[in-house]
Amino acid sequence: MDNQHRKVSGYRELNQDEIDLMNRIKAKGAELLQLQAELEQALMQQVRIKAANALENTSDHAEYERFCSAEPLRWASIGKTDIQTGLMALVRAVAQPAGV
C-alpha cells in the first residue's frame, strides 16, 4: 500500500534529505550488523578450537578458561543489541514521530 505512514498516527512526511539520511543510517546499520555477525562466527570458531585443544592438552585448559570467563560471545551479543538500539534512535531522530 502506498503512503502507509499517513495512516499511522504520529508520523509525518519526510523531505528528500531526511529520506536520504535515513537510508544512509540503515545502510551503515546493515554494514555494522554484518561485521558483528562476522565477529560472532570468528568467536564460534575460536570456541571450537580452544575447547578441542583443552581436551587434547591439559596445558591449554587455562587458555580455554580465560576465553570462557571473558565472555566474548555475550559481549558480541550485547554489541549487536546496542547497535540495533543506536540505529533505532538515529532513525527516530530523523523521523521525529509525535507522541511517545
Side-chain angles (χ1 to χ4, degrees):
M1 176 187 295
D2 197 22
N3 299 316
Q4 289 177 343
H5 65 281
R6 291 183 184 156
K7 297 181 185 241
V8 178
S9 177
Y11 285 85
R12 66 185 181 91
E13 291 288 327
L14 301 178
N15 65 40
Q16 191 59 51
D17 288 340
E18 292 168 325
I19 292 168
D20 293 343
L21 183 57
M22 191 176 291
N23 285 330
R24 286 178 51 215
I25 291 166
K26 288 180 174 279
K28 291 295 182 186
E31 185 179 339
L32 280 171
L33 289 171
Q34 176 59 41
L35 181 60
Q36 187 279 338
E38 291 174 26
L39 168 63
E40 198 169 80
Q41 289 300 312
L43 291 170
M44 290 301 294
Q45 182 65 19
Q46 285 182 27
V47 167
R48 286 189 287 276
I49 291 169
K50 289 179 186 307
N53 289 346
L55 286 173
E56 292 175 11
N57 186 350
T58 55
S59 64
D60 290 332
H61 190 70
E63 171 56 19
Y64 180 70
E65 288 292 322
R66 182 213 55 83
F67 179 83
C68 290
S69 60
E71 300 180 298
L73 288 166
R74 176 178 175 267
W75 285 105
S77 181
I78 290 170
K80 180 179 181 179
T81 300
D82 288 352
I83 290 167
Q84 291 168 326
T85 302
L87 293 169
M88 288 182 352
L90 293 174
V91 166
R92 186 178 175 94
V94 174
Q96 303 165 19
V100 290

